[in-house]
Amino acid sequence: MRRRQIAPVVATALAATLLAPLTTLTAAASGADHGAAAHGAPLHDASSHQTTRTVDRATLVARATLSADYLAPGPASGALATPANGRTGPFAGQVIPGFSAVLDAGDGTFWAQPDNGFGSKANSADYLLRLYHVDPHWQTSRHGALTGSGEIEVEGYISLRDPDHRFPFPIVHEDTRDRLLTGADLDIESVVRAQDGSLWIGDEFGPFLVHADRTGRVLEAPVAFPDGKSPSNPTLAAGEKPNVPSSGGFEALAASADGRYLYPVVERALLDDTQARRRWVYEYDTRKHRYTGQRWAYQTDMDGDMVADAHTVGRHRLVIAERDDFQGAKAVIKRVYTVDLDRTDAEGYATKTLLFDALDIANPGGIGAGDGYGTGDPFSLPVQSFETIVPLGHDRYLIANDNNYPGNDARVPGTPDDTEMDVVEIRPTRVATDDVTLIGHRGAPAYEPEHTLASYATAIRLCADYIEPDVVSTKDGVLVARHENEIGGTTDVASHPEFADRRTTKTIDGKAVTGWFTEDFTLAELKTLRAKERIPATRPANTALDGLYQVPTLDEVLDLARHSRTCDGKAVGVYPETKHPSYFASVGLPLEKPLLAELHRNGFDRPGSPVFIQSFEVGNLRALHRMTRLPLVQLVDCSGAPYDLRAAGDPRTYADLVTASGLRDVARYADGVGVCKDVMIPRTAAGTLGTPTTVIRDAHRAGLVVHGWTFRPENTFLPTDLRSSADPNAYGDMTAEVDAFLAAGMDGFFTDAADRGTAAIRAAARS
């Protein structure tokens, strides 16, 4: 293990850097170029004959890392740490297990604060709480060449200690002179600097606010949280119920510009909170030494997401880092939002606006390339504990990770993650745009289990314009996203013995179906299940993600969409399909009014909202036509007839709906048709693409847009002449297939692989 000789820092000269003002990397170091056109101005690129526009794009401009195995001076640590990734304690010095919080020292260096060491009180008594003074020797890219070593140099540290006995409870080093604090005393996760240079530190064990001077000496007793204690709180009495979950305290802490007010944020939902996605931002007055009683609600994207860091960027305005608990290819949410505490949405939550997605950062200079998963272009920080966001000014932000040494291995499986510091700049960037509507069919199921937030988020990153949730109802009337109401094939319900007696046979749209059905489960029960790959024989790689992700509510899908942006900077659209509407109406769970209510609650019913509502049935679309002005789409299957027509004795089939007269009738209640590919361009007897029918032309003459479904990359779904091999699961030439349909006049399409759909659209534009 590598070990550098560094000294503890208590001297005035180095500690004084804690008082320094915020500064930034220079434009020269980052190679910044702000010569792009004004935002939103369409441009014509003569070389590619494509329309382009300028959008804000998070771009990697600098990166530096510290070896995961780095050891700082001090006694051995990690004797009880959980072995992982080939590392077993004790370690011959003090581990630096990543950075949970960072302060800008103002001179190009930083003060970086690890957490309590190894994750719990029980295994961290030998870990000393410190802030390390670090100097990143940035790797940057300039004029196509990489410069800088990309290493983080550790120059010194200050130790947190309580020699004046401010703590009212025993600590590990209770009877020593210095009373150095350890990871069994506090779990320090966040830090801000007061105007006098002193430090306010957010802890998770209490959770407490801890005040220390610039050398780390505790100045006053830890401030208790007014709304409960965690299970690790040293003052928790026998029989007293905690209200803060373990590791659910002050991961994030911000301060007002003048330092008077602190804004600690609980990382997870309080235990008495009925809203699993609600987190609270509190206000503490450092002059009056008390909480003000003011708090604001923040809503996470998913139930299990954590508020990982926060900084003020104006009065009652914060930047907040939000993360899930996954790493590597399994990561879904590693995002930075701008939050306005003075504005609330329809549900009473502080409004949040996406600043950037740390899983989708442009890296044209190839900074960090080859360092493992996520270090290409785009670059990502797919670590489990993305826990640091520091505004550096001039649209630049520092992000960093806690590597939970030795446990995390997001970059290279089996190797502990290094600690890394990345500088991201929000740059005006020209991107291609077009008028073809790209719909992420059930998200991006070529790469993720369908109808999960992971699948939808991936589709957005892969440049889908719309995401498509199929909508069914729970027993308690909550709309959720599933391809069918029978969930045996898309969740792990069969492995839950408590639900074994729910397996039954029902008649759905005239067919007997056996399994488990959403309408027999409450939302709370459904949330105990996890999604799995629907077609594992075709997409075996996706089975590695089985058992990870919840069944999302429609509200969660809409939230994700409205807090995201497309690759060309527009609002992400939603394209919900009402599944089996006649059946759900027959069991007292009609879909139409709840769907419109959810769209309204999330602001998707305003003029110009990017929404299409679709259905394979006719009657509920006619009903929706009377209830809303949102665009409606009549789905057309490859064969057969709408179930509601069959049930009513109406002889019309889907083939009748796409005749010229049938399409004119559809246009009386719908704005478009979603058509099976074979109806637009049938396949020949040999399985190749045949001659286009008149359906697209006739639909356009009736004033309808035409969206085709479903374009998939695997050979088994492609025309025979576009397959790459005899392997049914290998990818073939989906680009050529899409091109044929676009040439026939199709306006947009559903695809399982939005990246390949995007490539096909661009190829068609070039041709």
Side-chain angles (χ1 to χ4, degrees):
M1 296 183 183
R2 186 162 63 98
R3 176 171 177 165
R4 287 177 50 88
Q5 293 299 315
I6 60 176
V9 178
V10 293
T12 302
L14 194 50
T17 62
L18 287 166
L19 286 168
L22 197 71
T23 60
T24 67
L25 292 172
T26 64
S30 67
D33 177 9
H34 291 285
H39 289 266
L43 301 172
H44 186 70
D45 185 339
S47 63
S48 66
H49 304 289
Q50 290 184 340
T51 300
T52 64
R53 67 196 305 260
T54 300
V55 301
D56 285 337
R57 183 81 165 98
T59 303
L60 184 67
V61 297
R63 182 172 186 261
T65 63
L66 177 69
S67 170
D69 296 321
Y70 182 95
L71 293 175
S77 62
L80 300 179
T82 303
N85 293 314
R87 309 300 196 269
T88 301
F91 307 103
Q94 289 289 298
V95 168
I96 298 182
F99 301 149
S100 286
V102 172
L103 293 172
D104 189 333
D107 58 358
T109 67
F110 298 86
W111 287 92
Q113 176 183 283
D115 59 12
N116 84 311
F118 302 102
S120 72
K121 279 190 170 187
N123 66 6
S124 299
D126 59 5
Y127 187 78
L128 299 176
L129 302 186
R130 296 170 171 175
L131 276 78
Y132 288 92
H133 187 227
V134 299
D135 184 4
H137 300 289
W138 301 110
Q139 182 182 76
T140 63
S141 176
R142 185 164 177 79
H143 304 305
L146 294 176
T147 62
S149 68
E151 294 183 352
I152 297 173
E153 181 180 358
V154 180
E155 296 189 335
Y157 62 86
I158 60 174
S159 293
L160 297 184
R161 60 203 189 282
D162 182 29
D164 302 316
H165 292 259
R166 305 294 188 185
F167 277 38
F169 48 81
I171 62 174
V172 170
H173 294 147
E174 177 71 20
D175 298 322
T176 64
R177 184 188 66 180
D178 291 334
R179 288 170 52 87
L180 296 175
L181 296 176
T182 74
D185 303 318
L186 296 173
D187 184 6
I188 56 174
E189 297 285 357
S190 50
V191 62
V192 298
R193 181 176 51 219
Q195 287 192 331
D196 63 0
S198 64
L199 305 173
W200 282 96
I201 296 169
D203 154 77
E204 289 201 315
F205 283 164
F208 298 118
L209 294 174
V210 179
H211 193 197
D213 70 12
R214 71 188 66 179
T215 72
R217 188 185 192 111
V218 174
L219 296 174
E220 56 188 276
V223 179
F225 178 53
D227 284 350
K229 302 175 182 178
S230 87
S232 298
N233 190 305
T235 70
L236 189 71
E240 184 180 5
K241 288 186 177 181
N243 194 39
V244 179
S246 294
S247 296
F250 299 150
E251 186 77 46
L253 175 66
S256 60
D258 63 2
R260 174 173 179 175
Y261 295 103
L262 303 179
Y263 299 97
V265 190
V266 289
E267 182 180 17
R268 303 174 189 264
L270 297 177
L271 296 177
D272 66 354
D273 200 331
T274 59
Q275 302 299 314
R277 295 166 59 202
R278 182 159 56 198
R279 311 291 180 263
W280 289 104
V281 181
Y282 289 79
E283 184 177 64
Y284 179 79
D285 188 332
T286 62
R287 293 183 190 172
K288 295 183 177 180
H289 300 280
R290 62 177 176 82
Y291 280 89
T292 66
Q294 175 72 61
R295 67 176 186 173
W296 297 265
Y298 173 89
Q299 188 177 47
T300 57
D301 294 327
M302 301 192 296
D303 287 357
D305 282 3
M306 288 153 273
V307 175
D309 200 7
H311 278 266
T312 52
V313 289
R315 175 176 166 76
H316 288 171
R317 294 184 70 247
L318 308 175
V319 288
I320 278 182
E322 180 179 333
R323 71 170 180 91
D324 59 23
D325 213 23
F326 302 117
Q327 65 172 344
K330 299 173 182 177
V332 181
I333 300 295
K334 313 290 180 187
R335 290 183 164 205
V336 177
Y337 288 107
T338 302
V339 179
D340 189 339
L341 299 180
D342 289 334
R343 296 178 58 205
T344 57
D345 62 17
E347 298 175 90
Y349 292 100
T351 58
K352 67 180 190 180
T353 303
L354 182 66
L355 183 60
F356 65 90
D357 182 349
L359 297 178
D360 187 21
I361 299 169
N363 187 20
I367 297 170
D371 277 0
Y373 180 84
T375 57
D377 186 14
F379 178 91
S380 68
L381 187 62
V383 294
Q384 178 186 16
S385 298
F386 161 42
E387 293 190 354
T388 295
I389 172 72
V390 181
L392 299 177
H394 301 284
D395 294 323
R396 296 195 188 102
Y397 299 86
L398 172 73
I399 57 177
N401 68 309
D402 171 354
N403 64 19
N404 298 302
Y405 185 84
N408 290 164
D409 57 350
R411 294 291 192 200
V412 180
T415 300
D417 284 333
D418 289 338
T419 300
E420 62 181 274
M421 302 173 76
D422 305 313
V423 178
V424 173
E425 181 180 287
I426 309 300
R427 286 184 176 177
T429 304
R430 286 176 63 179
V431 297
T433 186
D434 54 72
D435 57 1
V436 178
T437 301
L438 181 63
I439 305 131
H441 179 245
R442 309 176 197 169
Y447 312 114
E448 310 267 359
E450 65 186 32
H451 290 310
T452 59
L453 289 185
S455 188
Y456 297 127
T458 296
I460 293 167
R461 284 193 288 270
L462 297 181
C463 298
D465 299 309
Y466 286 74
I467 52 177
E468 185 225 16
D470 293 336
V471 175
V472 295
S473 181
T474 66
K475 183 178 182 178
D476 44 351
V478 180
L479 299 185
V480 296
R482 287 290 88 190
H483 176 52
E484 293 288 344
N485 55 327
E486 197 291 302
I487 55 175
T490 60
T491 73
D492 62 359
V493 64
S495 66
H496 285 251
E498 68 273 25
F499 299 135
D501 61 352
R502 306 279 178 96
R503 189 171 188 268
T504 188
T505 299
K506 298 187 178 189
T507 300
I508 310 295
D509 293 357
K511 298 178 181 178
V513 180
T514 299
W516 292 262
F517 298 84
T518 59
E519 64 271 21
D520 296 333
F521 291 77
T522 65
L523 177 62
E525 290 172 330
L526 271 185
K527 283 293 186 179
T528 67
L529 308 181
R530 294 296 180 267
K532 68 177 185 179
E533 174 55 41
R534 184 178 63 88
I535 47 175
T538 301
R539 292 169 175 165
N542 286 1
T543 61
L545 305 175
D546 286 356
L548 294 181
Y549 308 127
Q550 289 185 331
V551 174
T553 63
L554 177 61
D555 179 55
E556 289 171 325
V557 178
L558 298 178
D559 274 349
L560 180 70
R562 69 187 175 96
H563 292 131
S564 302
R565 285 293 178 267
T566 64
C567 291
D568 54 2
K570 300 175 184 176
V572 173
V574 290
Y575 209 128
E577 178 190 342
T578 56
K579 300 293 292 190
H580 310 299
S582 292
Y583 167 78
F584 275 105
S586 74
V587 297
L589 294 168
L591 302 175
E592 293 76 22
K593 286 185 178 180
L595 171 59
L596 294 179
E598 286 288 8
L599 291 169
H600 171 74
R601 196 154 59 103
N602 284 278
F604 277 104
D605 62 345
R606 299 165 186 161
S609 293
V611 178
F612 290 98
I613 300 174
Q614 56 179 331
S615 178
F616 278 104
E617 294 190 12
V618 174
N620 78 315
L621 286 178
R622 289 186 180 276
L624 282 164
H625 177 66
R626 296 188 293 271
M627 299 165 67
T628 181
R629 294 184 178 181
L630 290 173
L632 306 177
V633 173
Q634 176 67 64
L635 290 173
V636 176
D637 211 340
C638 306
S639 61
Y643 171 71
D644 60 324
L645 297 188
R646 285 193 288 116
D650 189 320
R652 285 178 296 167
T653 65
Y654 286 116
D656 295 320
L657 295 187
V658 293
T659 63
S661 61
L663 289 165
R664 288 193 295 271
D665 183 59
V666 169
R668 293 187 175 95
Y669 62 86
D671 304 273
V673 284
V675 186
C676 166
K677 293 185 298 183
D678 293 350
V679 173
M680 295 182 286
I681 305 181
R683 296 190 186 183
T684 67
T688 62
L689 282 180
T691 302
T693 67
T694 63
V695 167
I696 296 175
R697 181 198 67 189
D698 293 341
H700 286 162
R701 287 178 176 176
L704 298 167
V705 296
V706 179
H707 295 158
W709 57 271
T710 299
F711 292 83
R712 297 180 168 106
E714 293 92 352
N715 283 328
T716 190
F717 302 114
L718 289 168
T720 53
D721 55 332
L722 300 181
R723 296 174 183 174
S724 61
S725 67
D727 180 355
N729 298 337
Y731 284 5
D733 193 355
M734 192 185 98
T735 295
E737 183 188 32
V738 171
D739 184 64
F741 283 83
L742 292 177
M746 180 179 68
D747 302 303
F749 59 97
F750 296 79
T751 179
D752 288 5
D755 55 338
R756 291 177 177 267
T758 299
I761 293 170
R762 291 175 181 171
R766 288 193 297 270
S767 64

